[in-house]
Amino acid sequence: MRTAHARGLLPVRGAHPPDRRKKIQPRQTAVSGQDYTPTLDTVPCEPAGTFLGYFLPAALTIVFLLDLIGNGFVLTILISRRTTWHLADHYLFQLALSDLLLGLTLPFWAVQYGYGWSFGQVSCKVVGALFTINMYSSILLLVCISLSRYISIVHAVKFNKKQRPIHAVMICVFVWGLSCFLSWHELYFREVGSPLSDKTICFYKFDPENSNSLRIALQLTEFTIAFIVPLIFMLFFYSRIFCTLQGSRSNHSRRSQLVIVALLLVFFFCWAPYKSLQLIDTLQRMGYIARNCRFEEMLDIGLAVTETLGLFHVCINPIIYALVGVKFRKEIFRLFKRLSGQVVNSSVVSSKEGTIFTDSNCSYSKIM
């Protein structure tokens, strides 16, 4: 029996053709996303699930709690805001909602890894689809936020006044629609059963003849749309913003530059390790890397650990995209004042740098 990463939420191991030189069982996942096609010409590799059985439930629970607190707080601040939302606020709300919904699926996968799936067939498909939809939408919304900032700062004179809330709504609808389309396989292929042991799991049940090619296609699609393309766009947008802000000597400009560097580094270091191992797994499925039990065991553990690291990004998002901003800190100040029964009549709040920021209906929200 082979084990693999976490929940198998993304394309996972399927049946490989047996190696003629060394008999190795087709790679599987222990929890989900697996299809099992035994072959007479294979013998099993040793399982790698002992460490993951302890690590994943604990790690996913931590991610869930931090995600619930952080993104729940961001949504509360935005919903309670008395002033008109700016364009960036629409994207921030959608991002926090997407990250929160993604986090709500994690307890299901934590329970499955520890005890098996006991939530039924419909829940299996729905939870799998919710995870993938919100994984895609969360990353794509980061690109939307970088685009909004790019237009507002680099092309402030030419395009900024032409931006309208309806434009943000249309872009968000497109992002959610594309994310749903990219998650079709979750509803079509997910099943509940016991393909490898007595434990019932929620897994991908592919046709054995097409299993490997389907997994390769899904993994390459995710690698491209959920990592390479967003990284390229974010590098372009934020590099242009960084260069534009270089001409300013204000403290706010320098702080914004530091935030830009943080945004890129956090996104890259959270997702790059997992995507790199996922690419290695894809190359092995395609036959470019020879199969080996010890290598596959380490790859499975690496995928589980690095995927969990990537999921921590949904906890960091509310910090780097909202809580570090002057405007958002002002809203937090107002919320606590209202909760404590104090009425704030002034519409201006002084920042630590001594700059006065007033509420306005301009299309650019200074989140940074």
Side-chain angles (χ1 to χ4, degrees):
M1 172 181 174
R2 279 301 315 280
T3 60
H5 65 289
R7 303 153 304 286
L9 302 174
L10 309 176
V12 289
R13 284 140 204 70
H16 287 259
D19 193 316
R20 294 183 179 179
R21 293 169 295 177
K22 187 174 182 179
K23 296 180 179 181
I24 303 178
Q25 183 188 12
R27 298 177 68 187
Q28 310 291 335
T29 41
V31 181
S32 65
Q34 62 194 18
D35 60 322
Y36 181 56
T37 308
T39 61
L40 299 177
D41 193 29
T42 61
V43 294
C45 294
E46 292 298 324
T50 303
F51 165 74
L52 300 182
Y54 292 100
F55 170 77
L56 288 172
L60 295 179
T61 300
I62 294 174
V63 175
F64 164 70
L65 293 176
L66 294 177
D67 173 75
L68 188 65
I69 295 172
N71 288 291
F73 188 68
V74 171
L75 291 175
T76 301
I77 292 293
L78 289 173
I79 293 174
S80 63
R81 176 172 291 179
R82 295 179 177 179
T83 58
T84 304
W85 280 16
H86 306 288
L87 286 180
D89 296 330
H90 290 276
Y91 295 125
L92 182 59
F93 177 84
Q94 297 294 326
L95 176 64
L97 178 62
S98 175
D99 288 341
L100 182 63
L101 291 176
L102 188 151
L104 292 177
T105 67
L106 299 184
F108 292 89
W109 307 116
V111 171
Q112 169 171 271
Y113 205 88
Y115 305 99
W117 188 267
S118 58
F119 307 105
Q121 175 81 6
V122 175
S123 297
C124 169
K125 293 179 178 292
V126 171
V127 171
L130 279 177
F131 178 91
T132 306
I133 290 171
N134 290 287
M135 183 272 296
Y136 276 115
S137 61
S138 176
I139 294 175
L140 294 176
L141 284 167
L142 298 182
V143 180
C144 293
I145 291 176
S146 65
L147 172 62
S148 177
R149 289 174 174 169
Y150 168 76
I151 295 175
S152 300
I153 297 176
V154 179
H155 299 288
V157 177
K158 186 176 181 180
F159 294 112
N160 197 35
K161 292 184 178 180
K162 296 181 180 180
Q163 294 189 89
R164 296 290 183 271
I166 187 61
H167 298 152
V169 173
M170 292 174 62
I171 292 176
C172 290
V173 169
F174 172 77
V175 167
W176 285 103
L178 178 61
S179 301
C180 292
F181 173 76
L182 293 172
S183 307
W184 66 272
H185 58 282
E186 297 287 345
L187 297 175
Y188 189 82
F189 289 112
R190 279 205 175 269
E191 300 287 345
V192 174
S194 305
L196 291 176
S197 64
D198 294 334
K199 182 184 292 186
T200 301
I201 59 174
C202 174
F203 67 105
Y204 290 132
K205 188 176 182 180
F206 291 142
D207 180 1
E209 295 182 358
N210 302 317
S211 173
N212 206 45
S213 59
L214 283 171
R215 294 181 189 279
I216 291 173
L218 291 173
Q219 288 189 174
L220 289 177
T221 299
E222 182 200 326
F223 179 78
T224 302
I225 298 179
F227 184 68
I228 295 298
V229 172
L231 183 62
I232 292 174
F233 275 103
M234 291 172 67
L235 281 172
F236 172 77
F237 292 140
Y238 283 129
S239 62
R240 292 294 306 276
I241 293 173
F242 191 89
C243 292
T244 301
L245 293 176
Q246 280 287 84
S248 175
R249 297 182 179 180
S250 66
N251 291 330
H252 178 71
S253 176
R254 287 195 292 270
R255 184 177 62 250
S256 297
Q257 294 176 48
L258 293 176
V259 172
I260 288 171
V261 174
L263 295 177
L264 291 173
L265 290 180
V266 168
F267 177 80
F268 181 80
F269 284 110
C270 279
W271 284 112
Y274 173 66
K275 297 302 179 181
S276 299
L277 293 180
Q278 190 181 55
L279 181 61
I280 293 174
D281 177 65
T282 302
L283 293 175
Q284 188 188 58
R285 293 177 182 280
M286 297 173 69
Y288 293 107
I289 300 177
R291 300 199 60 203
N292 177 274
C293 273
R294 178 59 179 171
F295 174 77
E296 292 185 1
E297 178 185 358
M298 297 304 297
L299 182 60
D300 288 343
I301 294 176
L303 283 167
V305 174
T306 55
E307 186 183 16
T308 305
L309 173 64
L311 292 175
F312 268 101
H313 193 241
V314 304
C315 308
I316 303 174
N317 279 341
I319 299 175
I320 60 177
Y321 282 88
L323 302 183
V324 297
V326 173
K327 199 171 188 65
F328 212 88
R329 291 202 302 269
K330 180 174 66 175
E331 296 295 338
I332 296 174
F333 174 79
R334 288 178 173 173
L335 177 62
F336 279 108
K337 282 290 185 179
R338 290 201 300 270
L339 292 177
S340 63
Q342 301 180 27
V343 179
V344 180
N345 296 320
S346 175
S347 62
V348 297
V349 176
S350 297
S351 71
K352 293 181 179 179
E353 292 78 18
T355 305
I356 302 298
F357 294 92
T358 61
D359 292 331
S360 66
N361 292 322
C362 63
S363 60
Y364 173 53
S365 175
K366 294 184 179 67
I367 295 179
M368 294 189 295

